[in-house]
Amino acid sequence: MSLSIHPLTSSGFAGEVSGIDLTRPLSREQVTAIDAGMDRHGVLIFHDQRFDDETQLTFSRGFGELEVSSGAEMSKPRDRRLAQMEMADISNLDREGKLRAASDRMRLTSLGNRLWHSDASFRAVPAKYSLLSARAIPGTGGNTEFADMRSAYDALDAETKSEIEGLVTEHSNAFSREQIGFLKADYGEENQLKLKPVRHRLVRYDPRTGRRSLYLSAHIGAIVGWPVPEARMFIRDLTEHATQRQFVYAHAWRQWDLVIWDNRTTMHRARRYNDLTDVRDMRRTTIRGEGVTVAQVQEAA
């Protein structure tokens, strides 16, 4: 059976893929077909893909250079559950495989994943694709919602499109975690440089498809040249616009699903579940982007 994609939304935003086993070596033609599907849809869902960490890493490398997980970067080796630095641990489990307690710092920090965001927008070279494998899922809840930033841009009025065309925003992990009660100082002195804001265009243009998209994320804390309160309210207004129901696909996970999404043209958020009683073990690999979206501020000599 050859690869086929069935649209899951009327706009064609998300697609369900059949006819391919991603855990086996793929041909260049198959990788190209998946890339083309990502350009059309932005989110692709593959069922019954029984990855282990090594096969997921191998498959992911077919799409580009892997990022080191920010969670792995900012944690001590003794606190990590997964050995590979390129594998992000999107779970409610500690190093011993036990459920994290209600007061566990890592549990509380991970609640930020329930904010609308784009993965690694806090990096000067932001992420391309994210690939999330569902190894264990809770009995209820724990869905992931995706928002179509291309359609959201298209739906803006001409005046707003003109206003935002040249705007540059500042992103940092500290901005998103500030919204749920963490201070920048809470990350420790050794991680402060990793929290330095980076700059990105608010509107991104994709030469492959000829389409523009909003580049929004909970990691945005400022717009260059704007007063911070005005900037944050404007970003909130744009986020409310971009996450209206007509732009959103909600994915109800099955065990062994793999979902790939394009961080340049989508936002996403995790939804609530009973993480104190139910295991949710998801493992994410992330493809590094091709370059910066705008020049970064240089450190003074």
Side-chain angles (χ1 to χ4, degrees), residues 116 149 152-153 155-157 160 163-164 167 179 202 214 216-217 220 223 226 228-244 247 267:
W116 285 107
M149 296 294 98
Y153 174 83
L156 292 171
D157 60 72
T160 303
E163 180 180 16
I164 66 177
L167 294 182
Q179 296 179 48
L202 181 54
L214 291 170
L216 293 170
S217 182
I220 296 175
I223 298 174
W226 285 40
V228 169
E230 184 179 8
R232 293 191 179 184
M233 289 308 304
F234 186 61
I235 293 299
R236 178 173 290 189
D237 287 345
L238 285 176
T239 300
E240 288 180 356
H241 162 77
T243 55
Q244 295 177 83
F247 304 131
M267 277 200 302

Side-chain angles (χ1 to χ4, degrees), residues 100-213:
R100 292 188 180 276
S103 60
D104 184 281
R105 176 181 166 81
M106 288 298 296
R107 172 185 177 265
L108 296 174
T109 301
S110 71
L111 295 179
N113 291 331
R114 299 181 190 177
L115 300 171
W116 285 107
H117 65 285
S118 175
D119 285 338
S121 74
F122 49 77
R123 298 186 190 273
V125 177
K128 181 183 175 183
Y129 298 161
S130 290
L131 305 93
L132 189 59
S133 170
R135 310 297 177 84
I137 59 173
T140 58
N143 294 350
T144 301
E145 294 181 341
F146 298 91
D148 182 354
M149 296 294 98
R150 292 182 291 197
S151 293
Y153 174 83
D154 292 344
L156 292 171
D157 60 72
E159 182 180 354
T160 303
K161 287 179 180 176
S162 177
E163 180 180 16
I164 66 177
E165 181 62 30
L167 294 182
V168 173
T169 57
E170 293 191 341
H171 299 235
S172 169
N173 228 346
F175 293 143
S176 56
R177 270 40 184 186
E178 176 187 273
Q179 296 179 48
I180 60 171
F182 286 93
L183 302 177
K184 188 177 178 183
D186 293 338
Y187 288 86
E189 187 62 33
E190 71 277 10
N191 287 318
Q192 293 305 300
L193 280 178
K194 297 169 187 170
L195 298 172
K196 179 186 174 184
V198 299
R199 292 184 170 185
H200 292 302
R201 295 190 180 279
L202 181 54
V203 177
R204 296 186 67 166
Y205 173 73
D206 185 349
R208 303 181 321 280
T209 63
R211 296 185 68 182
R212 282 176 166 76
S213 61

Side-chain angles (χ1 to χ4, degrees), residues 240-292:
E240 288 180 356
H241 162 77
T243 55
Q244 295 177 83
R245 300 318 302 177
Q246 66 262 36
F247 304 131
V248 172
Y249 163 72
H251 183 64
W253 290 93
R254 307 179 196 172
Q255 188 180 21
W256 303 117
D257 278 354
L258 181 89
V259 176
I260 309 177
W261 64 88
D262 191 333
N263 288 289
R264 301 165 298 183
T265 61
T266 70
M267 277 200 302
H268 65 282
R269 66 175 178 178
R271 303 304 284 150
R272 190 171 185 268
Y273 69 103
N274 193 337
D275 64 319
L276 299 178
T277 61
D278 290 359
V279 171
R280 185 178 188 265
D281 185 358
M282 320 288 274
R283 306 193 186 191
R284 192 191 74 222
T285 40
T286 309
I287 311 302
R288 180 179 168 89
E290 288 89 2
V292 299

Side-chain angles (χ1 to χ4, degrees), residues 1-9 12-20 22 34 37-38 40-49 249-254 257-260:
M1 185 186 300
S2 59
L3 180 152
S4 64
I5 303 176
H6 170 69
L8 294 174
T9 64
F13 170 44
E16 184 178 61
V17 186
S18 59
I20 190 167
L22 304 180
I34 293 171
M38 292 296 294
R40 287 197 306 275
H41 301 282
V43 179
L44 292 180
I45 295 94
F46 303 77
H47 298 300
D48 198 28
Q49 304 293 326
Y249 163 72
H251 183 64
W253 290 93
R254 307 179 196 172
D257 278 354
L258 181 89
V259 176
I260 309 177

